[in-house]
Amino acid sequence: RAPSLRSIAGQLAARERGRMPGRVRALSAESEAAAVAEYLRGDSSYRNLSRKYGVSNSAIKRAVYRVTKSPDYQKRSKV
């Protein structure tokens, strides 16, 4: 089901006010960068990093994916 025009308009208005729709990320930008760097160096596994930073394995996997995804990946169109 597609979002209604009123819903989209509300999201755009919120962004203009500086509000970002959606869930807040579990890791700060600095923690995410550190965790990804540690993973890419081969120092830790997803599981160890998730324990170290107090987040789920999936949060670490998503952070790594955002950095390592292929350039031809098409981001879903978000409003």
Side-chain angles (χ1 to χ4, degrees), residues 4-66:
S4 71
L5 294 178
R6 285 183 60 178
S7 176
I8 293 171
Q11 288 178 15
L12 291 173
R15 284 184 185 213
E16 288 174 6
R17 293 190 307 268
R19 307 283 291 176
M20 293 300 291
R23 186 175 179 152
V24 177
R25 289 198 177 156
L27 287 169
S28 68
E30 296 82 20
S31 295
E32 186 173 303
V36 170
E38 195 171 329
Y39 178 79
L40 293 177
R41 281 194 310 267
D43 295 342
S44 290
S45 65
Y46 289 140
R47 187 175 186 178
N48 289 337
L49 288 170
S50 66
R51 288 179 178 167
K52 179 178 179 179
Y53 289 97
V55 297
S56 68
N57 288 348
S58 296
I60 299 294
K61 288 179 185 179
R62 284 190 300 267
V64 170
Y65 180 72
R66 280 191 287 274

